PDB file of all heavy atoms in Angstrom:
ATOM      1  N   PHE M 188       4.833 -13.378  13.165  1.00 97.00           N
ATOM      2  CA  PHE M 188       4.928 -12.073  12.523  1.00 97.00           C
ATOM      3  C   PHE M 188       5.452 -11.049  13.524  1.00 97.00           C
ATOM      4  O   PHE M 188       5.205 -11.167  14.737  1.00 97.00           O
ATOM      5  CB  PHE M 188       3.551 -11.594  12.016  1.00 97.00           C
ATOM      6  CG  PHE M 188       2.803 -12.607  11.201  1.00 97.00           C
ATOM      7  CD1 PHE M 188       1.597 -13.126  11.651  1.00 97.00           C
ATOM      8  CD2 PHE M 188       3.299 -13.043   9.983  1.00 97.00           C
ATOM      9  CE1 PHE M 188       0.900 -14.058  10.906  1.00 97.00           C
ATOM     10  CE2 PHE M 188       2.618 -13.979   9.230  1.00 97.00           C
ATOM     11  CZ  PHE M 188       1.408 -14.487   9.683  1.00 97.00           C
ATOM     12  N   VAL M 189       6.138 -10.042  13.021  1.00 97.00           N
ATOM     13  CA  VAL M 189       6.605  -8.936  13.863  1.00 97.00           C
ATOM     14  C   VAL M 189       6.255  -7.626  13.173  1.00 97.00           C
ATOM     15  O   VAL M 189       6.088  -7.564  11.956  1.00 97.00           O
ATOM     16  CB  VAL M 189       8.121  -9.002  14.123  1.00 97.00           C
ATOM     17  CG1 VAL M 189       8.497 -10.306  14.798  1.00 97.00           C
ATOM     18  CG2 VAL M 189       8.919  -8.810  12.840  1.00 97.00           C
ATOM     19  N   GLY M 190       6.155  -6.551  13.981  1.00 97.00           N
ATOM     20  CA  GLY M 190       5.874  -5.224  13.433  1.00 97.00           C
ATOM     21  C   GLY M 190       6.382  -4.150  14.353  1.00 97.00           C
ATOM     22  O   GLY M 190       6.508  -4.339  15.574  1.00 97.00           O
ATOM     23  N   ASN M 191       6.689  -3.009  13.795  1.00 96.00           N
ATOM     24  CA  ASN M 191       7.224  -1.899  14.566  1.00 96.00           C
ATOM     25  C   ASN M 191       6.146  -1.260  15.433  1.00 96.00           C
ATOM     26  O   ASN M 191       4.953  -1.335  15.144  1.00 96.00           O
ATOM     27  CB  ASN M 191       7.819  -0.840  13.635  1.00 96.00           C
ATOM     28  CG  ASN M 191       9.294  -0.628  13.895  1.00 96.00           C
ATOM     29  OD1 ASN M 191       9.720  -0.569  15.047  1.00 96.00           O
ATOM     30  ND2 ASN M 191      10.074  -0.504  12.826  1.00 96.00           N
ATOM     31  N   SER M 192       6.598  -0.600  16.511  1.00 96.00           N
ATOM     32  CA  SER M 192       5.725   0.178  17.361  1.00 96.00           C
ATOM     33  C   SER M 192       6.508   1.385  17.850  1.00 96.00           C
ATOM     34  O   SER M 192       7.622   1.649  17.372  1.00 96.00           O
ATOM     35  CB  SER M 192       5.219  -0.672  18.539  1.00 96.00           C
ATOM     36  OG  SER M 192       4.258   0.048  19.291  1.00 96.00           O
ATOM     37  N   SER M 193       5.970   2.124  18.785  1.00 92.00           N
ATOM     38  CA  SER M 193       6.619   3.343  19.261  1.00 92.00           C
ATOM     39  C   SER M 193       7.717   3.018  20.273  1.00 92.00           C
ATOM     40  O   SER M 193       7.774   1.926  20.836  1.00 92.00           O
ATOM     41  CB  SER M 193       5.579   4.270  19.897  1.00 92.00           C
ATOM     42  OG  SER M 193       4.924   3.602  20.964  1.00 92.00           O
ATOM     43  N   GLN M 194       8.598   3.996  20.485  1.00 90.00           N
ATOM     44  CA  GLN M 194       9.663   3.929  21.478  1.00 90.00           C
ATOM     45  C   GLN M 194      10.483   2.643  21.316  1.00 90.00           C
ATOM     46  O   GLN M 194      10.965   2.344  20.231  1.00 90.00           O
ATOM     47  CB  GLN M 194       9.066   4.085  22.876  1.00 90.00           C
ATOM     48  CG  GLN M 194       8.344   5.412  23.058  1.00 90.00           C
ATOM     49  CD  GLN M 194       7.714   5.575  24.412  1.00 90.00           C
ATOM     50  OE1 GLN M 194       7.495   4.611  25.136  1.00 90.00           O
ATOM     51  NE2 GLN M 194       7.396   6.800  24.773  1.00 90.00           N
ATOM     52  N   ASN M 195      10.663   1.894  22.410  1.00 94.00           N
ATOM     53  CA  ASN M 195      11.494   0.686  22.369  1.00 94.00           C
ATOM     54  C   ASN M 195      10.655  -0.581  22.248  1.00 94.00           C
ATOM     55  O   ASN M 195      11.086  -1.661  22.663  1.00 94.00           O
ATOM     56  CB  ASN M 195      12.357   0.607  23.631  1.00 94.00           C
ATOM     57  CG  ASN M 195      13.280   1.790  23.753  1.00 94.00           C
ATOM     58  OD1 ASN M 195      13.860   2.243  22.775  1.00 94.00           O
ATOM     59  ND2 ASN M 195      13.420   2.317  24.972  1.00 94.00           N
ATOM     60  N   ASN M 196       9.484  -0.458  21.657  1.00 96.00           N
ATOM     61  CA  ASN M 196       8.556  -1.583  21.576  1.00 96.00           C
ATOM     62  C   ASN M 196       8.431  -2.128  20.160  1.00 96.00           C
ATOM     63  O   ASN M 196       8.577  -1.394  19.181  1.00 96.00           O
ATOM     64  CB  ASN M 196       7.165  -1.156  22.062  1.00 96.00           C
ATOM     65  CG  ASN M 196       7.155  -0.760  23.519  1.00 96.00           C
ATOM     66  OD1 ASN M 196       7.848  -1.358  24.343  1.00 96.00           O
ATOM     67  ND2 ASN M 196       6.394   0.272  23.861  1.00 96.00           N
ATOM     68  N   ILE M 197       8.141  -3.413  20.076  1.00 96.00           N
ATOM     69  CA  ILE M 197       7.776  -4.045  18.815  1.00 96.00           C
ATOM     70  C   ILE M 197       6.571  -4.943  19.061  1.00 96.00           C
ATOM     71  O   ILE M 197       6.336  -5.391  20.191  1.00 96.00           O
ATOM     72  CB  ILE M 197       8.939  -4.867  18.205  1.00 96.00           C
ATOM     73  CG1 ILE M 197       9.385  -5.984  19.161  1.00 96.00           C
ATOM     74  CG2 ILE M 197      10.101  -3.961  17.838  1.00 96.00           C
ATOM     75  CD1 ILE M 197      10.478  -6.881  18.566  1.00 96.00           C
ATOM     76  N   TRP M 198       5.804  -5.175  18.004  1.00 97.00           N
ATOM     77  CA  TRP M 198       4.674  -6.084  18.080  1.00 97.00           C
ATOM     78  C   TRP M 198       5.097  -7.487  17.662  1.00 97.00           C
ATOM     79  O   TRP M 198       5.849  -7.653  16.695  1.00 97.00           O
ATOM     80  CB  TRP M 198       3.534  -5.628  17.163  1.00 97.00           C
ATOM     81  CG  TRP M 198       2.801  -4.429  17.649  1.00 97.00           C
ATOM     82  CD1 TRP M 198       2.905  -3.142  17.190  1.00 97.00           C
ATOM     83  CD2 TRP M 198       1.832  -4.397  18.699  1.00 97.00           C
ATOM     84  NE1 TRP M 198       2.062  -2.314  17.885  1.00 97.00           N
ATOM     85  CE2 TRP M 198       1.394  -3.058  18.820  1.00 97.00           C
ATOM     86  CE3 TRP M 198       1.296  -5.366  19.549  1.00 97.00           C
ATOM     87  CZ2 TRP M 198       0.438  -2.672  19.754  1.00 97.00           C
ATOM     88  CZ3 TRP M 198       0.346  -4.979  20.473  1.00 97.00           C
ATOM     89  CH2 TRP M 198      -0.073  -3.661  20.574  1.00 97.00           C
ATOM     90  N   LEU M 199       4.593  -8.473  18.389  1.00 96.00           N
ATOM     91  CA  LEU M 199       4.815  -9.874  18.048  1.00 96.00           C
ATOM     92  C   LEU M 199       3.465 -10.572  17.955  1.00 96.00           C
ATOM     93  O   LEU M 199       2.566 -10.331  18.769  1.00 96.00           O
ATOM     94  CB  LEU M 199       5.645 -10.587  19.121  1.00 96.00           C
ATOM     95  CG  LEU M 199       6.947  -9.934  19.593  1.00 96.00           C
ATOM     96  CD1 LEU M 199       7.536 -10.731  20.749  1.00 96.00           C
ATOM     97  CD2 LEU M 199       7.936  -9.852  18.446  1.00 96.00           C
ATOM     98  N   TYR M 200       3.336 -11.441  16.969  1.00 96.00           N
ATOM     99  CA  TYR M 200       2.200 -12.353  16.923  1.00 96.00           C
ATOM    100  C   TYR M 200       2.782 -13.757  16.975  1.00 96.00           C
ATOM    101  O   TYR M 200       3.606 -14.130  16.137  1.00 96.00           O
ATOM    102  CB  TYR M 200       1.370 -12.171  15.658  1.00 96.00           C
ATOM    103  CG  TYR M 200       0.307 -13.228  15.496  1.00 96.00           C
ATOM    104  CD1 TYR M 200      -0.858 -13.184  16.244  1.00 96.00           C
ATOM    105  CD2 TYR M 200       0.486 -14.287  14.616  1.00 96.00           C
ATOM    106  CE1 TYR M 200      -1.831 -14.176  16.115  1.00 96.00           C
ATOM    107  CE2 TYR M 200      -0.475 -15.279  14.473  1.00 96.00           C
ATOM    108  CZ  TYR M 200      -1.631 -15.211  15.226  1.00 96.00           C
ATOM    109  OH  TYR M 200      -2.578 -16.198  15.101  1.00 96.00           O
ATOM    110  N   ALA M 201       2.368 -14.516  18.001  1.00 93.00           N
ATOM    111  CA  ALA M 201       2.929 -15.847  18.226  1.00 93.00           C
ATOM    112  C   ALA M 201       1.867 -16.915  18.034  1.00 93.00           C
ATOM    113  O   ALA M 201       0.699 -16.628  17.750  1.00 93.00           O
ATOM    114  CB  ALA M 201       3.535 -15.925  19.624  1.00 93.00           C
ATOM    115  N   ASP M 202       2.284 -18.177  18.211  1.00 92.00           N
ATOM    116  CA  ASP M 202       1.357 -19.279  17.973  1.00 92.00           C
ATOM    117  C   ASP M 202       0.328 -19.451  19.080  1.00 92.00           C
ATOM    118  O   ASP M 202      -0.484 -20.378  19.026  1.00 92.00           O
ATOM    119  CB  ASP M 202       2.112 -20.591  17.728  1.00 92.00           C
ATOM    120  CG  ASP M 202       3.010 -20.978  18.879  1.00 92.00           C
ATOM    121  OD1 ASP M 202       3.055 -20.232  19.886  1.00 92.00           O
ATOM    122  OD2 ASP M 202       3.681 -22.021  18.780  1.00 92.00           O
ATOM    123  N   ASP M 203       0.335 -18.566  20.081  1.00 93.00           N
ATOM    124  CA  ASP M 203      -0.757 -18.561  21.065  1.00 93.00           C
ATOM    125  C   ASP M 203      -1.953 -17.766  20.553  1.00 93.00           C
ATOM    126  O   ASP M 203      -2.940 -17.588  21.268  1.00 93.00           O
ATOM    127  CB  ASP M 203      -0.284 -18.000  22.401  1.00 93.00           C
ATOM    128  CG  ASP M 203       0.214 -16.562  22.308  1.00 93.00           C
ATOM    129  OD1 ASP M 203       0.265 -16.012  21.180  1.00 93.00           O
ATOM    130  OD2 ASP M 203       0.565 -15.985  23.350  1.00 93.00           O
ATOM    131  N   ASN M 204      -1.849 -17.242  19.291  1.00 95.00           N
ATOM    132  CA  ASN M 204      -2.928 -16.500  18.634  1.00 95.00           C
ATOM    133  C   ASN M 204      -3.224 -15.175  19.341  1.00 95.00           C
ATOM    134  O   ASN M 204      -4.360 -14.711  19.355  1.00 95.00           O
ATOM    135  CB  ASN M 204      -4.202 -17.346  18.540  1.00 95.00           C
ATOM    136  CG  ASN M 204      -5.164 -16.827  17.480  1.00 95.00           C
ATOM    137  OD1 ASN M 204      -4.748 -16.240  16.489  1.00 95.00           O
ATOM    138  ND2 ASN M 204      -6.452 -17.036  17.693  1.00 95.00           N
ATOM    139  N   LYS M 205      -2.177 -14.560  19.905  1.00 95.00           N
ATOM    140  CA  LYS M 205      -2.308 -13.254  20.554  1.00 95.00           C
ATOM    141  C   LYS M 205      -1.281 -12.284  19.988  1.00 95.00           C
ATOM    142  O   LYS M 205      -0.234 -12.691  19.489  1.00 95.00           O
ATOM    143  CB  LYS M 205      -2.090 -13.372  22.069  1.00 95.00           C
ATOM    144  CG  LYS M 205      -3.083 -14.251  22.800  1.00 95.00           C
ATOM    145  CD  LYS M 205      -2.733 -14.316  24.287  1.00 95.00           C
ATOM    146  CE  LYS M 205      -3.691 -15.220  25.055  1.00 95.00           C
ATOM    147  NZ  LYS M 205      -3.338 -15.293  26.503  1.00 95.00           N
ATOM    148  N   LEU M 206      -1.607 -10.995  20.097  1.00 96.00           N
ATOM    149  CA  LEU M 206      -0.629  -9.951  19.837  1.00 96.00           C
ATOM    150  C   LEU M 206       0.052  -9.570  21.139  1.00 96.00           C
ATOM    151  O   LEU M 206      -0.604  -9.426  22.181  1.00 96.00           O
ATOM    152  CB  LEU M 206      -1.308  -8.720  19.232  1.00 96.00           C
ATOM    153  CG  LEU M 206      -1.613  -8.746  17.739  1.00 96.00           C
ATOM    154  CD1 LEU M 206      -2.481  -7.555  17.369  1.00 96.00           C
ATOM    155  CD2 LEU M 206      -0.321  -8.732  16.923  1.00 96.00           C
ATOM    156  N   HIS M 207       1.371  -9.386  21.079  1.00 96.00           N
ATOM    157  CA  HIS M 207       2.153  -9.022  22.259  1.00 96.00           C
ATOM    158  C   HIS M 207       2.969  -7.776  21.943  1.00 96.00           C
ATOM    159  O   HIS M 207       3.632  -7.706  20.901  1.00 96.00           O
ATOM    160  CB  HIS M 207       3.111 -10.153  22.642  1.00 96.00           C
ATOM    161  CG  HIS M 207       2.431 -11.454  22.887  1.00 96.00           C
ATOM    162  ND1 HIS M 207       2.078 -11.883  24.160  1.00 96.00           N
ATOM    163  CD2 HIS M 207       2.024 -12.433  22.035  1.00 96.00           C
ATOM    164  CE1 HIS M 207       1.501 -13.076  24.066  1.00 96.00           C
ATOM    165  NE2 HIS M 207       1.452 -13.424  22.796  1.00 96.00           N
TER     166      HIS M 207
END
Side-chain angles (χ1 to χ4, degrees):
F188 310 116
V189 301
N191 241 317
S192 186
S193 58
Q194 300 178 341
N195 299 319
N196 296 323
I197 60 177
W198 287 104
L199 310 174
Y200 172 76
D202 59 0
D203 61 356
N204 200 29
K205 298 178 181 179
L206 279 171
H207 303 264

